[in-house]
Amino acid sequence: MREVAIIGVGDTRFGELWDMGFRDIGIAAGLAAVQDANLAAEEIDALYVGNMSAGRFIEQEHVAALIADYSGLARDNIPATRIEAAGASGGLALRQGYLAVASGMHDLVVVGGAEKMTDVGDAMAAEIQSSSMDQQWEVTFGATFPALHAMIARRHMHDFGTTREQLASVAVLNHLHGSMNPKAQFQRAIDLKTVLNAPPVAEPLGMFDCAPSSDGAAAVVLCAMEKARKHTDKPIKILASTQASDTLALHARSDITSFKATHVAAQRAFKLAGLEPKDIQVAEVHDNFTISEILAIEDLGFFPKGQGGRAVVDGQVSIGAKVAVNTSGGLKARGDPIGATGVAQVVEIVSQLRGTAGKRQVAGARYGLAQNVGGTGATVVVTILGAT
Amino acid sequence: MQVGIVSYGAYVPHYRITPQEIGRVWGSDGELMSKNLLIFSKSVPSPDEDVITISVEAARAMMRRTKVDPKLIGALYVGSESHPYAVKPSGTIVAEAILTSPNITVADYEFACKAGTAAIQTCMGLVGSGMVKYGVAIGADTSQGAPGDPLEYSASAGGAAYLIGSEELIATLNHTFSYTTDTPDFWRREGQPYPSHGGRFTGEPAYFKHIQAAGKGLMNLAKTQPTDYAHAVFHQPNGKFPTRVAKQLGFTDKQIEVGLLTPQIGNTYSGAVPLGLAAILDVAKPGERIFVVAYGSGAGADGFDVTVTDNIANFNRGAAPTIKEILQNRTMIDYATYAKFRGKIRMQEGEVS
Amino acid sequence: MSTARLWRENPSRYNLAASKCGVCGKVFFPPRNVCSTCHRKSIGKMQQLLLSGEGEVYSYSVVHDAPSQFELLKPYVLAMIRMDEGVMLTSQLIDVDPKKVEIGMRVKTTMRKVGEDGPAGVIYYGYKFKPIT
């Protein structure tokens, strides 16, 4: 297996993009990444597209072919593959692209993630998103995606004394980061009171504990490390790309206060990269709900189990702390176009490691990590990146 | 062979509304309605309850109290005027929910408020003739009254289930006698959400005439008189009619006291007499005789002469809630919640968007 | 909803039909053909059983934002219940004041409507739970 680098990144703004259809956002991010890598189309060997549910959001399947076509890459009939793992579709697409290059099968691939969620109403969007859970044994009985995470939060509060204020602090911090990100869906900082007083969605989670529905796309260009410097002075190396699975239904887990798949994927990733959690300066984690960020920073090994909430409140994941989490604004403030999220996380880490993150820059960022989750932790992808 | 009751179970939904609250919304004197009907509260089913769920709960309670293997049940009938489907029997779901074998005959019955007792009679015939070993008869309803109509103050929900057999009986069904005529006192056409009724026509020519005829016919058949009975239960569309018909037949207020549930839970229609009988069986002593006459509009009355056996002393009644316990388990709701629960509010139609 | 897809699971939704590994004793709900711990060793050794219907609340949430089919029930209490046999499932708690729900509360199963295919469609029945008083 040879080393793989990221030589170009691109993304759209995330939000309600009324003027852009699925094809438009997919192409926009891909084009931006290819331009960033200063590539010609004929240099690209393959395309990987992460997308959760175009079939239900826009009644279109076969979306890898669609993107290949509209990006012009189909002109050269390159292989185009669509990857689905609910919320982890983007991260998983990246892993598939990484494996293709690392194995020597391809030299240069484009990996994109895209989702167009606002062409359906809120009720339908929620129903589609709920298909990441166990349809037969969770959804049929009244489980919603927020409700399952609310039960995780409730148990975490019961077992470790985590408080609503600690949960709310995650939202406050991520909105603060979002206010520094011109591509974020929400660019206003919010205060703790707003979060605590927001209408309940599924107790103890309220409206501001939950990431929004969004449109958006993100893309990266992967290149064999040995050829990367032909295209860029600052290739960012993929030090590890790992993946783990767990039971589909949350109730089939032995413990719901952590995602074992995060823990397993992270351990494997740190081993492959030859690093430890303390070596990471910047991390993008899957905060589709505030409790998810608390679980993530515990499961990744940044903080002891049960201490995640306190760490957030104590400023230990802010910019300037030992690990800055979700500098992009996270899913909460940056937005969560499901299939795009995993790729967008990596775009943010690359920006940080290149030193181009502007107001959100983490000084001296050398190693970064992205954690991308499908469903309630049935799939987790962890990517560790390093500046060269 | 002797045929009778092997076990029984009851269920009434948790929520209640008062006549005062109903009257408040419709500009009527709910307090006066309450006094005239002798109804203090009526039961209200949750949006996720229906005759099938009520029947299942009652039938499961019945099975918990006995050791009879459900695979030996050869027939099951659910009597109601509010079956969830116009076509597809409630009984098949109930049968699977109590783990009968597929070697069973099932059908749904309708005869206004006496569909449950018609089911009991059918089971008596099937068991008595040796065609089946055990039969299950259920009377249950989630009846509706039109908004503001007098029936809205009484129409309620509940049901009871009876396991009919010929061995280890807790009560023998000694005799049954019915009186049936074509009398249009109360009806509901297919597709109509609410029933219609003939006002005062529902009294003398309907309820009273048929119960009296069935009652007299029953005592004639059984060669009994009112004083032979420790308890009596009559169909109870309100708290007053049964008292009057009891008196007409020669029964006292004391005899009908235990089985008179309508003042607390309203008129549970096909569930009314089955629930009233359950309340009596909850307290009856060996050797006591029970007089039962159900009435269903349209019209007909089914009478039963019942004797409690010694086996009732060993009956595992505690395995399921008694009527007394069920009556205590309640939460009051207001009219808006009641209207929401009963589907009286017009909702948005169409698919999810 | 698919008529056949839900009909197939009636024994589990009506009567809590589960399976137990004949090798390690682990109970699965819904029933499985292969034990997730013993894998191939468990093939042909999975036993059928019915859960007793009693358990305790492991976690819960009062759901306010709900799909349209639950419009009439919201806010409702969703719970993860640890059944006495050890296996856990997800369901609603009914006939209970949401404010009085606690982790550890003992509950037992009851039959309720869990959904329907619209006003002209099939009605689906299944388990919900109420407190053991």
Side-chain angles (χ1 to χ4, degrees), chain A residues 133-134 137-138 246-253 376 378, chain C residues 90:
Chain A
M133 301 181 278
D134 187 328
W137 304 101
E138 290 179 312
D246 206 339
T247 66
L248 180 62
L250 186 64
H251 58 238
R253 310 274 168 81
T376 52
Chain C
T90 301

Side-chain angles (χ1 to χ4, degrees), chain A residues 101-132:
Chain A
V101 176
S103 68
M105 192 65 185
H106 297 306
D107 282 339
L108 236 158
V109 307
V110 173
V111 176
E115 206 84 46
K116 176 79 187 161
M117 296 178 73
T118 62
D119 278 351
V120 299
D122 284 345
M124 180 54 86
E127 190 178 298
I128 296 168
Q129 193 152 32
S130 73
S131 63
S132 69

Side-chain angles (χ1 to χ4, degrees), chain B residues 11 13-15 46-50 52-54 56-57 60 64 84-85 88 92-93 96-99 321 329 340-341 343 347 352, chain C residues 10-11 13-15 50 68-69 71-75 92 94-96 108-114 121-125 128 130 133:
Chain B
Y11 177 81
H14 181 77
Y15 296 98
S46 298
D48 57 358
E49 297 191 273
D50 63 15
I52 290 173
T53 64
I54 289 171
V56 168
E57 290 295 293
R60 283 181 173 168
R64 282 205 295 279
Y85 292 92
K88 182 174 158 29
T92 58
I93 295 155
E96 285 208 3
I98 61 169
L99 300 167
N329 186 359
K340 181 175 90 162
F341 279 11
M347 305 292 284
V352 180
Chain C
N10 279 355
R13 280 204 329 283
Y14 290 4
N15 295 312
L50 301 179
S68 58
Q69 63 261 34
E71 191 69 42
L72 295 178
L73 295 174
K74 64 178 201 195
Q92 293 172 30
I94 44 94
D95 290 354
V96 68
K108 67 180 172 197
T109 185
T110 173
M111 179 81 121
R112 290 290 171 106
K113 288 194 284 194
V114 296
V122 173
I123 305 169
Y124 300 105
Y125 295 91
K128 294 194 187 185
K130 53 167 67 163
T133 40

Side-chain angles (χ1 to χ4, degrees), chain B residues 58-75:
Chain B
R60 283 181 173 168
M62 173 191 81
M63 292 309 291
R64 282 205 295 279
R65 288 168 161 167
T66 178
K67 290 199 181 62
V68 170
D69 181 354
K71 303 256 178 290
L72 298 176
I73 295 170

Side-chain angles (χ1 to χ4, degrees), chain A residues 1-7 98 101-102 106-108 222-239 386-388:
Chain A
M1 298 279 275
R2 57 186 183 167
E3 292 185 322
V4 180
I6 296 175
I7 60 169
Y98 163 78
V101 176
H106 297 306
D107 282 339
L108 236 158
L222 305 182
C223 178
M225 185 68 212
E226 64 210 23
K227 302 184 180 170
R229 291 200 191 271
K230 276 202 297 198
H231 301 284
T232 175
D233 301 324
K234 271 204 152 170
I236 302 297
K237 219 193 285 190
I238 296 180
L239 299 174
T388 52

